[in-house]
Amino acid sequence: MKTLKYFFKKAKKEEWAIGQFNFSTLEQLKAIVNVAEKLKSPVILGTSQGEANFFGLEEAVLLRNLYRKKFPYIYLNLDHGKDVNLIKKAINLGYDCVHFDGSSLNFQENLKITKKIVKYAHKKGCLVEGEIKSIQGSSEIHKGLPKDVLLEDIERAKEFVKKTEIDSLAINIGNVHGVYKKSIRLNIEHLKKIKREIPIFLVLHGGSGTSKKDIKEAIKNGVVKINVNTELRKAWREGLEKSLKKHEDTIKPYNILPEVILKVEETVEKKIKLFKSQR
Ligand code: G3H
Ligand code: ZN
């Protein structure tokens, strides 16, 4: 069985990125897996704390295991984990990766807890993603433009990576969560500096509503994992609204929901092709 680390290394060498696609419903999950299988692309299924609590950590692990029989390269990540108990539970259940988001803590506290999680996770073969400076925004459709554009402090990141021994880092290069009035541009020059100084796997959050040209440049410059959520939520809701209107006269979920799956599949397919992760 090829591990997630195997694909991170391969992606780095060959200049492509693995998509992390967040889900909280079975339609979204089915859509992600269907496209992964069709395009032979490794994928990471992401569950934030809210998504994991709604869907169930155990359910997520059991379904990953089941879908691996159809297509083996499906991995699970606990996204933006802040609750250490939930993170430990995910590790014990067999998540492939956990993201500890200690960005709201002070630097030393974040470093201390991240380091402990790394020790715990690595014993069980689970990777850890760290975050220092909080990635702004939320996975929603926003009316205006993002408030702040943050850039990673490279010296701090170097110290953090060295002392915690994390596997990957969620970086700030102008990326934000959510979709805004205008497409988001990334600071590729800053990414080049990060890549030169920080020798671990780099993760780009806020994969929705970002300039396609900048995503391609980010991949060329060392990003190996890109997180996508808002566009999948949007596709799910739009698909559902459209289908409910079209099937006004039925209450059969199996007649209403296939169109929701199709709509999410379209989004996942576009992203996988943009990230060049199809094999
Ligand atoms: O952690 C999740 C991602 O960063 C999602 O970002 O909602 O902008 O696609 P997004
Ligand atoms: Zn994120």
Side-chain angles (χ1 to χ4, degrees):
M1 172 71 187
K2 287 169 183 153
T3 61
L4 183 54
K5 197 171 189 172
Y6 165 87
F7 281 114
F8 280 162
K9 280 188 194 160
K10 194 169 166 62
K12 194 171 178 178
K13 204 171 135 206
E14 297 171 358
E15 295 183 359
W16 52 274
I18 304 180
Q20 175 189 299
F21 300 103
N22 282 41
F23 72 96
S24 51
T25 78
L26 198 56
E27 296 85 54
Q28 289 173 310
L29 178 55
K30 277 178 185 266
I32 301 161
V33 172
N34 287 347
V35 182
E37 189 187 7
K38 178 178 148 194
L39 299 181
K40 297 189 175 48
S41 165
V43 286
I44 299 169
L45 306 170
T47 57
S48 65
Q49 288 200 168
E51 289 159 344
N53 287 330
F54 175 70
F55 194 86
L57 287 176
E58 272 146 314
E59 285 88 338
V61 173
L62 283 171
L63 286 168
R64 176 207 59 189
N65 295 348
L66 179 73
Y67 291 138
R68 271 183 178 169
K69 289 180 188 159
K70 289 206 307 171
F71 181 70
Y73 309 125
I74 298 171
Y75 303 94
L76 255 178
N77 179 40
L78 185 79
D79 188 39
H80 291 282
K82 294 186 182 198
D83 174 348
V84 177
N85 287 328
L86 189 78
I87 291 177
K88 282 190 175 168
K89 203 174 162 197
I91 297 169
N92 292 337
L93 283 168
Y95 266 59
D96 303 278
C97 182
V98 288
H99 165 208
F100 174 61
D101 179 354
S103 61
S104 60
L105 305 171
N106 73 49
F107 182 74
Q108 289 307 333
E109 191 65 8
N110 184 8
L111 198 151
K112 202 173 94 189
I113 302 174
T114 306
K115 198 173 165 180
K116 276 191 189 161
I117 292 172
V118 169
K119 272 205 176 136
Y120 190 88
H122 281 180
K123 273 190 208 144
K124 312 224 175 202
C126 177
L127 302 179
V128 179
E129 179 178 324
E131 179 171 338
I132 309 163
K133 206 179 264 193
S134 174
I135 294 146
Q136 302 295 293
S138 59
S139 294
E140 292 278 358
I141 312 289
H142 300 268
K143 288 206 176 84
L145 292 171
K147 283 189 200 98
D148 298 309
V149 175
L150 303 180
L151 294 180
E152 210 61 47
D153 177 331
I154 296 176
E155 285 313 308
R156 287 204 132 192
K158 263 166 81 175
E159 184 189 346
F160 190 85
V161 165
K162 199 169 166 224
K163 290 188 174 159
T164 58
E165 297 183 61
I166 47 172
D167 303 281
S168 57
L169 180 68
I171 54 168
N172 273 284
I173 53 166
N175 46 315
V176 282
H177 293 120
V179 166
Y180 297 80
K181 253 187 147 173
K182 266 179 155 173
S183 158
I184 300 297
R185 300 299 311 265
L186 303 174
N187 188 328
I188 302 297
E189 286 313 306
H190 199 69
L191 172 60
K192 286 182 185 169
K193 284 185 206 154
I194 297 175
K195 194 196 171 194
R196 271 200 298 274
E197 302 284 341
I198 300 169
I200 59 166
F201 302 124
L202 303 178
V203 178
L204 184 74
H205 281 243
S208 300
T210 307
S211 144
K212 284 188 195 134
K213 182 175 163 273
D214 289 1
I215 294 261
K216 284 183 193 162
E217 280 301 304
I219 295 170
K220 273 190 201 150
N221 287 288
V223 165
V224 296
K225 170 177 177 267
I226 303 178
N227 292 8
V228 183
N229 197 348
T230 309
E231 286 188 40
L232 302 183
R233 290 178 172 179
K234 189 171 176 274
W236 175 85
R237 184 170 173 142
E238 284 174 1
L240 185 59
E241 282 174 355
K242 212 172 144 200
S243 189
L244 283 170
K245 265 193 200 144
K246 191 171 149 192
H247 299 282
E248 243 175 10
D249 300 329
T250 182
I251 56 165
K252 290 177 188 151
Y254 57 83
N255 282 344
I256 297 165
L257 296 174
E259 280 170 58
V260 180
I261 297 175
L262 276 177
K263 189 93 178 134
V264 179
E265 280 176 355
E266 279 170 25
T267 308
V268 175
E269 182 156 347
K270 275 187 208 148
K271 293 292 177 190
I272 284 181
K273 287 182 176 162
L274 178 64
F275 304 162
K276 295 199 170 71
S277 62
Q278 70 270 43
R279 306 288 83 215

